């Protein structure tokens, strides 16, 4: 006699009688199974059912059990009832919403169905709570069992089927244990795995030596201490793919670098070659570039496979950095489009500055190379001013050039740009000497129109600002020579500089010019400040305001003798006393 609960499900596909549609009816009876050693330890063989019956069994399993009264179940139909035996189709008797009659005097157990009973299309299922759980596992198909967590085994593991032909037997279980304690179990084709990875091939051979029975159906191997289980699994799945690069394109360069490292570790040669081919053909970010350099330092690859990537990471031959840098500087200085030239100047400044994030050779720029470009710009400037003053006649080629003012402005911009580079490299002292000795330009400054000549004062302004801020250090006599040569021209051009500043900060110019004068001796300052005083009294705002620096000079020049003697050595005090 079969114990447990019985579920009879009508067939909704049964032909309708007389064309009248009948609604689906169902009847269920719940039984109580006494707890015994048979029911606990022995589990009957339950036939497999299809997916539809399993879903209905789950619904019945979740149905609340009725309270027990003695030894009978009052919610169960009588064993003598034809409905309970399935002899009468319940759809002919019960309508929707009705329940089966209850026989309170029926026995506590249900009689088995007669062998010759005509149950139609209904399917009897009997299972206790424990049996039903085991039945659900047994009824899952082989493909589905590989994708679920099996009860009673691998309690904290994920059991997954990976790659290969579905018709093939997956005869290897690979347990991947992560550093975080999580475990992932993969069912694999042992032939594919061993063919692609020498690492796993050795593990399988070792496992066969440890197992006595050589006919074991499913081998088990284990890899522990894995940082990223998902990434490791993706790498193994690539072994079962024909076109690996197609999947790498979906992953991207960053993920491919991780796959490359794992492929190298497990000796997955086909994966290593595919990753290297993909990485060689795609652009990298700076972080990806650094990761590749670090990976090549840790792992060993065949030189023929990484040669193309190494050619992108490192220079294969010696590059003349000095020659290349000078070529860039000459290209920028010879540019004809102002906006492009300014952009390239900014780019080169970033590459050559001390604060640049790019590694560079400190000897990449030679002093002679930079000053050769400065001399070239100055010579061009002299030729243009001779043309502006009428000293030379224009030829056909000169007539096709840019307008006179634009050509002068271009050379002045080049000189100021080169001066900034020299100051950053602490090589600008010779530039001050070079500018102080431009007698030809000084001569033509006096005879040239103010709307042209003021461009020369832009170079002088940059030098004076650098001297006043202490960014440019040179000897006192050199400072005096450059100030004496270009102080009067900048006074006369100050009005034009105000109207056409071209990025020049006029307040910064006034402050830098005054501080640069104060770096001279008081005797040298006197002649310069007297000249400024005359110009300022006549021209007013058309002249730089150096009143603060003038006051400092005045205070220092006319200190009381008694106050001065207390701060000077005795020998110098005696000299001052005799002069007074």
């Amino acid at each position: 006699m079969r114990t447990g609960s019985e579920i009879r499900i009508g067939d909704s596909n049964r032909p309708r009688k007389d064309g009248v549609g009948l609604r689906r009816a169902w009847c269920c009876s719940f039984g109580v199974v006494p707890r015994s050693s048979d029911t606990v330890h022995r589990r009957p063989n339950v036939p497999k059912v299809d997916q539809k019956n399993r879903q209905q069994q789950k619904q019945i399993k979740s149905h609340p059990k009725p309270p027990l009264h003695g030894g009978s179940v009052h919610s169960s139909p009588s064993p003598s009832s034809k409905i309970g035996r399935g002899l009468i189709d319940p759809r002919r008797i019960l309508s929707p919403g009705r329940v089966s009659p209850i026989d309170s005097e029926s026995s506590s157990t249900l009689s088995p169905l007669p062998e010759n009973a005509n149950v139609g299309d209904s399917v009897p299922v009997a299972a206790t709570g424990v049996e039903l759980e085991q039945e659900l596992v047994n009824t899952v198909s082989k493909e589905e069992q590989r994708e679920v967590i099996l009860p009673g085994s691998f309690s904290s593991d994920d059991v997954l089927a990976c790659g290969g032909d579905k018709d093939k037997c997956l005869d290897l279980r690979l347990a991947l244990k992560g550093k975080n304690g999580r475990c992932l179990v993969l069912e694999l084709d042992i032939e594919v795995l061993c063919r692609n990875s020498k690492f796993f091939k050795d593990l399988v051979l070792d496992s066969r030596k440890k197992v006595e029975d050589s006919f074991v159906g499913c081998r088990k191997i284990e890899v522990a201490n894995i940082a990223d289980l998902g990434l490791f699994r993706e790498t193994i799945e690539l072994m079962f793919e024909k076109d690996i690069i197609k999947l790498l394109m979906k992953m991207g360069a960053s993920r491919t670098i991780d796959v490359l490292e794992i492929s190298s570790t497990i000796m997955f040669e086909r994966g290593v070659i595919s990753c290297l081919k993909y990485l060689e053909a795609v652009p990298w970010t700076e972080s990806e570039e650094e990761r590749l350099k670090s990976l090549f330092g840790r792992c060993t690859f065949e030189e023929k496979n990484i040669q193309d990537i190494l050619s992108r990471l490192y220079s294969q031959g010696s590059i003349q950095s000095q020659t290349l840098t000078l070529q860039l500087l000459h290209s920028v200085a010879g540019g004809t489009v102002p906006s492009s030239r300014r952009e390239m100047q900014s780019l080169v400044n970033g590459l050559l500055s001390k604060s640049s994030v790019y590694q560079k050779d400190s000897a990449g720029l030679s002093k002679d190379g930079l000053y050769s470009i400065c001399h070239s710009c100055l010579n061009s400037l002299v030729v243009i001013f001779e043309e502006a003053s009428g000293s030379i006649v224009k030829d056909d080629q000169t007539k096709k050039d840019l307008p006179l003012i634009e050509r002068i402005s271009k050379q002045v911009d080049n000189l100021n740009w080169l001066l900034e580079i020299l100051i950053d490299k602490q090589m600008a002292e010779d530039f001050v000497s070079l500018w102080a000795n431009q007698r030809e330009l000084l001569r033509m400054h006096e005879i040239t129109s103010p709307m042209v000549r003021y461009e020369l004062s832009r170079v002088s302004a940059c030098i004076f600002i650098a001297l006043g801020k202490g960014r440019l250090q040179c000897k006192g006599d050199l400072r005096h020579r450059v100030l004496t040569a270009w102080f009067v021209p900048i006074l006369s051009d100050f009005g034009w500089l105000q109207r056409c500043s071209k990025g020049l900060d006029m307040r910064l110019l006034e402050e830098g010019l005054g501080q640069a004068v104060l770096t001279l001796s008081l005797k040298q300052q006197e002649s310069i400040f007297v000249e400024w005083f005359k110009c300022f009294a006549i021209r007013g705002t058309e002249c730089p305001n150096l009143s603060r620096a003038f006051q400092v000079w005045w205070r220092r020049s006319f200190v009381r003798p008694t106050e001065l003697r207390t701060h000077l050595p005795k020998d110098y005090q005696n000299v001052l006393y005799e002069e007074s």
Side-chain angles (χ1 to χ4, degrees):
M1 179 179 294
R2 186 160 185 168
T3 61
S5 60
E6 294 186 1
I7 306 173
R8 303 188 184 278
I9 304 174
D11 186 3
S12 60
N13 296 324
R14 188 171 182 176
R16 299 179 181 178
K17 185 176 182 181
D18 300 333
V20 180
L22 297 178
R23 298 190 182 182
R24 181 179 177 180
W26 57 274
C27 177
C28 63
S29 56
F30 300 87
V32 179
V33 180
R35 188 175 183 82
S36 65
S37 60
D38 293 336
T39 58
V40 174
H41 300 287
R42 291 188 301 168
R43 299 179 180 177
N45 293 327
V46 183
K48 296 184 178 181
V49 295
D50 57 7
Q51 184 68 22
K52 178 180 178 181
N53 291 335
R54 287 202 308 273
Q55 294 177 357
Q56 294 176 350
Q57 290 169 20
K58 293 180 182 179
Q59 295 177 359
I60 298 303
K61 181 181 175 182
S62 61
H63 197 284
K65 295 183 178 180
L68 302 178
H69 298 282
S72 63
V73 183
H74 296 286
S75 61
S76 303
S78 173
S80 61
S81 173
K82 294 182 179 181
I83 301 175
R85 293 181 179 272
L87 300 178
I88 301 178
D89 191 346
R91 292 178 295 181
R92 295 188 299 163
I93 301 175
L94 300 179
S95 61
R98 296 183 59 184
V99 297
S100 61
I102 300 175
D103 186 2
S104 61
E105 296 179 357
S106 63
S107 61
S108 59
T109 59
L110 297 178
S111 300
L113 290 175
E115 295 180 359
N116 58 352
N118 183 16
V119 295
D121 295 328
S122 62
V123 181
V125 177
T128 62
V130 178
E131 291 168 347
L132 185 58
E133 179 182 352
Q134 181 64 27
E135 179 186 352
L136 293 177
V137 176
N138 293 335
T139 56
V140 179
S141 62
K142 187 174 183 180
E143 289 79 7
E144 291 172 336
Q145 285 182 1
R146 299 187 188 115
E147 299 177 358
V148 299
I149 300 176
L150 299 180
S153 63
F154 306 106
S155 57
S156 62
D157 306 344
D158 295 338
V159 182
L160 300 171
C162 291
D165 190 354
K166 291 185 178 180
D167 297 334
K168 284 190 176 181
C169 178
L170 304 183
D171 49 2
L172 176 68
R173 279 199 173 184
L174 172 61
L176 305 178
K177 295 186 177 180
K179 293 182 178 180
N180 56 358
R182 188 171 179 268
C183 183
L184 182 67
V185 178
L186 305 179
E187 289 188 354
L188 304 166
D189 186 347
I190 191 171
E191 180 184 353
V192 176
L193 189 68
C194 294
R195 185 173 64 247
N196 283 276
S197 172
K198 188 177 182 301
F199 172 78
F200 286 117
K201 183 178 180 180
D202 294 340
L203 286 182
V204 171
L205 292 176
D206 292 341
S207 68
R208 287 179 177 176
K209 294 178 182 178
K210 296 178 182 178
V211 178
E212 296 180 359
D213 187 3
S214 59
F215 298 99
V216 176
C218 185
R219 302 279 176 189
K220 294 181 180 179
I221 58 176
E222 178 182 307
V223 180
N225 201 27
I226 298 175
D228 191 337
L229 288 177
L231 183 64
F232 204 95
R233 174 193 167 190
E234 290 180 10
T235 306
I236 293 176
E237 288 177 346
L238 294 178
M239 298 180 184
F240 299 87
E241 297 292 337
K242 294 182 179 179
D243 191 356
I244 297 179
I245 295 182
K246 185 177 181 180
L247 293 180
L248 295 178
M249 292 173 64
K250 297 180 180 179
M251 294 182 183
S254 180
R255 191 80 169 170
T256 301
I257 295 174
D258 296 329
V259 172
L260 174 61
E261 183 173 3
I262 295 177
S263 299
S264 174
T265 304
I266 63 177
M267 290 178 279
F268 176 27
E269 189 65 20
R270 193 164 63 96
V272 169
I273 295 175
S274 298
C275 290
L276 291 174
K277 285 183 178 179
Y278 171 74
L279 290 172
E280 192 277 331
V282 297
W284 313 320
T285 62
E286 289 191 31
S287 61
E288 291 167 353
E289 179 182 341
E290 294 301 323
R291 288 174 58 196
L292 278 174
K293 290 180 179 179
S294 176
L295 177 60
F296 290 155
R298 297 193 311 269
C299 302
T300 303
F301 301 93
E302 292 187 14
E303 184 177 356
K304 63 179 182 180
N305 294 331
I306 63 173
Q307 186 174 4
D308 293 337
I309 293 183
L310 290 178
S311 64
R312 288 180 57 182
L313 289 173
Y314 305 100
S315 175
Q316 300 299 316
S318 59
I319 296 180
Q320 298 293 334
S321 59
Q322 177 178 337
T323 304
L324 179 60
T325 304
L326 291 177
Q327 288 178 357
L328 295 177
L329 294 175
H330 274 292
S331 298
V332 175
T336 57
V337 181
S339 59
S340 299
R341 191 173 64 251
R342 286 192 296 269
E343 186 174 351
M344 292 299 101
Q345 286 176 354
S346 177
L347 174 61
V348 174
N349 288 340
L351 297 176
L352 300 180
S353 65
K354 291 182 179 179
S355 60
S356 175
V357 296
Y358 301 100
Q359 297 180 0
K360 53 188 179 297
D361 186 6
S362 58
L365 273 179
S366 67
K367 184 177 180 181
D368 295 337
L370 281 171
Y371 276 100
S372 65
I373 303 176
C374 293
H375 282 284
S376 176
C377 294
L378 285 172
N379 293 335
S380 298
L381 202 57
V382 171
V383 172
I384 297 171
F385 266 91
E386 289 177 349
E387 181 183 337
S389 61
S391 302
I392 60 175
V393 180
K394 296 182 180 180
D395 54 10
D396 295 337
Q397 181 63 32
T398 305
K399 293 178 181 179
K400 296 178 182 179
D401 291 338
L402 294 173
L404 188 68
I405 298 178
E406 292 187 18
R407 290 159 56 196
I408 293 175
S409 179
K410 170 188 168 182
Q411 298 302 330
V412 170
D413 286 339
N414 288 336
L415 288 172
N416 286 338
W417 171 54
L418 294 170
L419 174 61
E420 285 297 321
I421 296 176
L422 291 169
I423 291 174
D424 188 66
K425 300 294 181 182
Q426 297 182 354
M427 304 176 182
E429 184 175 357
D430 289 346
F431 188 91
V432 178
S433 177
L434 187 63
W435 188 246
N437 296 329
Q438 293 299 314
R439 301 183 182 276
E440 189 67 21
L441 286 176
L442 286 170
R443 183 186 65 81
M444 286 187 289
H445 182 276
E446 298 177 355
I447 61 176
T448 309
S449 170
M451 63 182 302
V452 174
R453 71 186 186 191
Y454 85 95
E455 290 281 356
L456 297 176
S457 294
R458 288 174 54 208
V459 180
S460 303
C462 291
I463 294 176
F464 295 151
I465 291 174
L467 289 172
K469 295 179 66 175
R471 296 181 60 224
L472 200 164
Q473 293 84 31
C474 52
K475 296 180 179 180
D477 60 339
L478 181 57
R479 297 196 302 272
H480 181 252
R481 282 198 296 118
V482 73
L483 280 166
T484 303
W486 292 100
F487 184 76
V488 174
I490 203 171
L491 292 181
S492 59
D493 294 336
F494 190 80
W496 278 91
L497 290 174
Q498 285 180 315
R499 289 185 288 271
C500 305
S501 61
K502 295 184 179 180
L504 183 64
D505 191 338
M506 303 309 295
R507 291 186 178 273
L508 195 61
L509 172 59
E510 291 176 338
E511 182 180 355
L513 183 57
Q515 293 296 324
V517 175
L518 290 176
T519 61
L520 305 177
S521 65
L522 292 176
K523 191 69 175 176
Q524 293 170 343
Q525 294 178 36
E526 179 180 355
S527 59
I528 293 177
F529 278 122
V530 168
E531 186 69 31
W532 166 79
F533 201 88
K534 293 178 182 179
C535 179
F536 190 78
I538 298 172
R539 305 181 61 182
T541 56
E542 293 288 314
C543 183
N545 190 348
L546 306 181
S547 56
R548 283 189 177 183
F550 181 83
Q551 292 174 10
V552 173
W553 167 76
W554 184 272
R555 177 179 55 81
R556 291 174 180 174
S557 299
F558 300 98
V559 180
R560 296 177 182 178
T562 56
E563 182 181 353
L564 183 61
R565 293 192 186 101
T566 59
H567 298 86
L568 294 177
K570 291 183 179 180
D571 297 339
Y572 200 73
Q573 289 180 14
N574 295 332
V575 173
L576 290 177
Y577 180 75
E578 293 175 357
E579 291 180 356
S580 60

